[in-house]
Amino acid sequence: MNLYELFIAPFAEFDFMRRALVGVFALAVGAGPVGVLLMLRRMSLTGDAMAHAILPGAALGFLAAGLNLFAMTIGGLVAGFTVALGAGAVARATQMKEDAALAAFYLVSLALGVLLVSLRGSNVDLLHVLFGTVLALDDATLLLIVGISSVSLLVLAVLWRPLVLECVDPGFLRSVSRAGAPTHLVFLMLVVLNLVGGFHALGTLLAVGLMMLPAATARFWARDLNVMVLLASLIAAAAGVAGLLVSYHLGAPSGPAIILVAGAGYAVSVLIGPVGGLLPRLMPGRHLEA
């Protein structure tokens, strides 16, 4: 097998592979920066919880209209915002920490979503909702994912500084401006939007993977935030391409293949990443010479 057959032919010869490629590129562009901001807030697991939280809304859309893009998207958005705001309200009104409140909401949401899909759908429908169908993206779904990524980039460009400050030092932002709470809501909106976009391609269980794994990987290669954001998007795109090729040549499920490739990149970075990687930390540094 030559290089053309290995790397180019799958995308040149098959329309569904090209669609999947556009989809993962769009997800990488939108989800990469959001993942970095989540990591800065130490909310990586919050992203995972919110990814599961969109399931009951998507399931209600499925019950109402089947595998309808519009119904499942609206349902996922409503459920995601409801869980995010509900967990925050519980944390502020009680002594429970926000991560514990999110865990409770996420577990109930996941169980409820699986139950709702199982009431009407088959095992195939349940697998579609949980793991996505990146190789079966149609024009409408691609437009949705690209639209979400475009909105994310526009919002990040306009509100980049307050978003970063709200992630790094929310107390300072509240002390000097009233933009703290609105900025936090905008940030939650970006998280939910990108998770809903990822849900259509990778399912609720894996949607957060292309958001957080590239961000965590980029952290081992850059200290500058802007470089980190760029690297996260590039790593996510590379993982998408490599995962699609692995899926094509080995017959493996495409969504898990993409996330496993991203996970392999993270594992390598943990070992050799120049910014806090294991081997660089164990190697003796240079000593100053007279």
Side-chain angles (χ1 to χ4, degrees):
M1 182 179 295
N2 57 40
L3 292 178
Y4 174 82
E5 294 174 340
L6 189 62
F7 295 107
I8 300 176
F11 301 111
E13 297 177 5
F14 297 100
D15 184 61
F16 69 90
M17 289 291 289
R18 291 193 293 273
R19 291 174 180 272
L21 184 64
V22 172
V24 296
F25 279 173
L27 288 175
V29 169
V34 175
V36 171
L37 294 178
L38 268 175
M39 185 178 62
L40 287 178
R41 288 184 59 89
R42 299 182 180 180
M43 290 175 59
S44 300
L45 291 178
T46 299
D48 183 53
M50 291 175 65
H52 298 315
I54 67 177
L55 181 56
L60 287 174
F62 172 78
L63 287 178
L67 294 175
N68 180 275
L69 176 66
F70 179 78
M72 295 180 72
T73 298
I74 295 300
L77 288 173
V78 171
F81 285 122
T82 300
V83 167
L85 297 176
V90 169
R92 286 164 176 76
T94 68
Q95 294 184 347
M96 180 172 286
K97 299 294 185 182
E98 190 170 6
D99 59 341
L102 266 172
F105 274 84
Y106 127 68
L107 289 170
V108 172
S109 296
L110 180 61
L112 178 61
V114 171
L115 177 63
L116 289 174
V117 175
S118 301
L119 286 177
R120 173 173 170 176
S122 63
N123 289 335
V124 174
D125 295 323
L126 182 60
L127 289 175
H128 170 87
V129 172
L130 292 178
F131 297 104
T133 52
V134 67
L135 294 181
L137 297 177
D138 56 17
D139 289 341
T141 307
L142 275 181
L143 286 174
L144 173 68
I145 295 174
V146 172
I148 288 173
S149 296
S150 301
V151 170
S152 296
L153 289 179
L154 180 61
V155 172
L156 288 171
V158 173
L159 298 176
W160 178 246
R161 288 190 176 183
L163 281 170
V164 171
L165 187 57
E166 203 271 336
C167 288
V168 176
D169 194 347
F172 175 75
L173 180 62
R174 286 195 296 269
S175 68
V176 300
S177 172
R178 295 181 179 179
T183 300
H184 185 65
L185 290 176
V186 169
F187 178 65
L188 290 178
M189 178 198 74
L190 290 178
V191 174
V192 173
L193 277 175
N194 281 276
L195 288 175
V196 169
F199 153 73
H200 287 295
L202 301 172
T204 56
L205 294 185
L206 299 176
V208 75
L210 211 58
M211 180 181 291
M212 295 313 309
L213 281 172
T217 302
R219 181 64 183 84
F220 287 101
W221 296 94
R223 298 184 188 274
D224 181 82
L225 178 59
N226 294 325
V227 176
M228 202 184 304
V229 166
L230 177 61
L231 278 177
S233 293
L234 292 176
I235 292 168
V241 174
L244 288 174
L245 289 172
V246 168
S247 173
Y248 176 83
H249 291 296
L250 300 183
S254 52
I258 291 171
I259 302 306
L260 283 175
V261 169
Y266 171 75
V268 171
S269 298
V270 169
L271 290 175
I272 66 172
V275 183
L278 181 60
L279 292 181
R281 287 171 65 91
L282 295 177
M283 293 174 62
R286 288 184 174 182
H287 296 283
L288 293 176
E289 298 180 358

